[in-house]
Amino acid sequence: MVASGVSPGGGDVLVIGGGLAGLSTALELAQRGAKVVIVNRDGGESASMAAGGMLAPQAERLEAGPYLDLCLQSRNMYTEWAADLEARSGGISTGFAAAGGFLAPAFAGDQVDGWVPPAEAGPAYRLDAKQMRGMEPALSEEVVGGWWYPDDMQVDARRLFRSLKESCIRAGVSVLEGPEWEVEALVFNPALPAIQAVKMRDGRRLAFGKVVVANGAWMNKLLPVPLGPVKGQMLSLRPKKDMPSPLNRVIFAESC
């Protein structure tokens, strides 16, 4: 049913946001038989374009509890999910890597130095300074030891984004991008605790059976949730030609 003055959206489910969360949700829904439309204001603003790709609940030093349990479950699903995604996308690599684990260097008195990992999080090995530099010779002499988490993994967020987007398109998901597809507000049905329609930036109203809000840090523009964008810094380095990489695995220190 379409409310008066509201245009039908043309899909069972509308997903607001075309980052990794929105794309992966849309793909799962499409695989379950839903007709899905994604609207996305600007793909370049997605955190997916700047994410470090860490699948590392242990290196993140998460305390025991439900959040750690959720992250461990997610990490355990990634090997199969990444392989399935690459097959669905026609072979586009996700940049997923499970080998090597994460190395967390400790400096005297910092949080890593005093950390005791929860036993239920998985294998974690305390290494002294000599062992740390045995695994990563380029580490500073100031490193006093650290932790090795062999089960922590990584994924290339940009490659994952491309693989997900292609998988969505192949699964029949409609991906609509550009300023004209910015959702300005959610229109709630006063008689029911449900979204009646979405109001676009240009005034159009689109109605869908279900709406998924997955626009990340900008979610607070649509819903009263305590979320907002946080500025970060990222530096990309490339070794000189014919020079091997100085690092063999991901390094996750207290401030880096």
Side-chain angles (χ1 to χ4, degrees), residues 7-117:
S7 300
D12 296 330
V13 183
L14 174 70
V15 177
I16 303 171
L20 294 179
L23 288 169
S24 56
T25 301
L27 180 60
E28 181 67 23
L29 290 170
Q31 290 171 352
R32 298 187 183 195
K35 187 176 180 182
V36 186
V37 175
I38 295 175
V39 290
N40 192 37
R41 177 184 62 186
D42 182 359
E45 289 187 351
S46 170
S48 308
M49 295 295 97
M54 299 179 298
L55 311 172
Q58 290 178 279
E60 292 269 14
R61 300 191 302 278
L62 300 181
E63 300 281 356
Y67 183 50
L68 172 62
D69 295 341
L70 177 65
C71 290
L72 291 172
Q73 183 177 1
S74 175
R75 185 184 68 182
N76 292 340
M77 295 169 67
Y78 244 91
T79 300
E80 181 179 351
W81 185 67
D84 179 70
L85 195 59
E86 291 180 0
R88 291 182 181 278
S89 67
I92 298 177
S93 172
T94 61
F96 173 73
F102 274 45
L103 204 61
F107 296 86
D110 73 358
Q111 293 184 18
V112 178
D113 193 26
W115 176 246
V116 179

Side-chain angles (χ1 to χ4, degrees), residues 5-256:
V6 178
S7 300
D12 296 330
V13 183
L14 174 70
V15 177
I16 303 171
L20 294 179
L23 288 169
S24 56
T25 301
L27 180 60
E28 181 67 23
L29 290 170
Q31 290 171 352
R32 298 187 183 195
K35 187 176 180 182
V36 186
V37 175
I38 295 175
V39 290
N40 192 37
R41 177 184 62 186
D42 182 359
E45 289 187 351
S46 170
S48 308
M49 295 295 97
M54 299 179 298
L55 311 172
Q58 290 178 279
E60 292 269 14
R61 300 191 302 278
L62 300 181
E63 300 281 356
Y67 183 50
L68 172 62
D69 295 341
L70 177 65
C71 290
L72 291 172
Q73 183 177 1
S74 175
R75 185 184 68 182
N76 292 340
M77 295 169 67
Y78 244 91
T79 300
E80 181 179 351
W81 185 67
D84 179 70
L85 195 59
E86 291 180 0
R88 291 182 181 278
S89 67
I92 298 177
S93 172
T94 61
F96 173 73
F102 274 45
L103 204 61
F107 296 86
D110 73 358
Q111 293 184 18
V112 178
D113 193 26
W115 176 246
V116 179
E120 59 267 39
Y125 300 97
R126 178 75 194 204
L127 307 179
D128 60 25
K130 183 178 180 180
Q131 291 170 319
M132 290 288 289
R133 279 187 283 276
M135 295 183 74
E136 291 292 347
L139 289 178
S140 165
E141 291 293 329
E142 297 178 25
V143 171
V144 299
W147 291 93
W148 177 40
Y149 305 109
D151 285 358
D152 275 352
M153 308 170 182
Q154 61 176 311
V155 67
D156 186 315
R158 293 193 177 204
R159 290 185 181 182
L160 177 62
F161 177 85
R162 290 193 290 269
S163 185
L164 258 175
K165 190 170 183 179
E166 178 63 23
S167 296
C168 281
I169 292 172
R170 288 175 176 235
V173 176
S174 297
V175 183
L176 307 175
E177 296 180 296
E180 69 274 22
W181 294 109
E182 179 180 356
V183 176
E184 185 176 84
L186 305 176
V187 182
F188 290 88
N189 187 328
L192 297 171
I195 297 174
Q196 183 181 28
V198 296
K199 180 183 177 183
M200 308 306 291
R201 177 176 163 181
D202 59 7
R204 288 173 298 154
R205 291 193 178 193
L206 306 180
F208 287 79
K210 301 289 183 182
V211 175
V212 177
V213 182
N215 60 339
W218 291 269
M219 194 179 296
N220 61 2
K221 292 185 177 181
L222 303 176
L223 295 168
V225 291
L227 291 175
V230 176
K231 181 177 173 59
Q233 297 290 342
M234 182 176 288
L235 178 66
S236 178
L237 303 176
R238 180 180 300 166
K240 292 181 180 179
K241 187 177 180 180
D242 300 326
M243 179 184 291
S245 172
L247 298 174
N248 301 309
R249 54 186 54 78
V250 177
I251 304 300
F252 194 143
E254 179 179 333
S255 300
C256 182

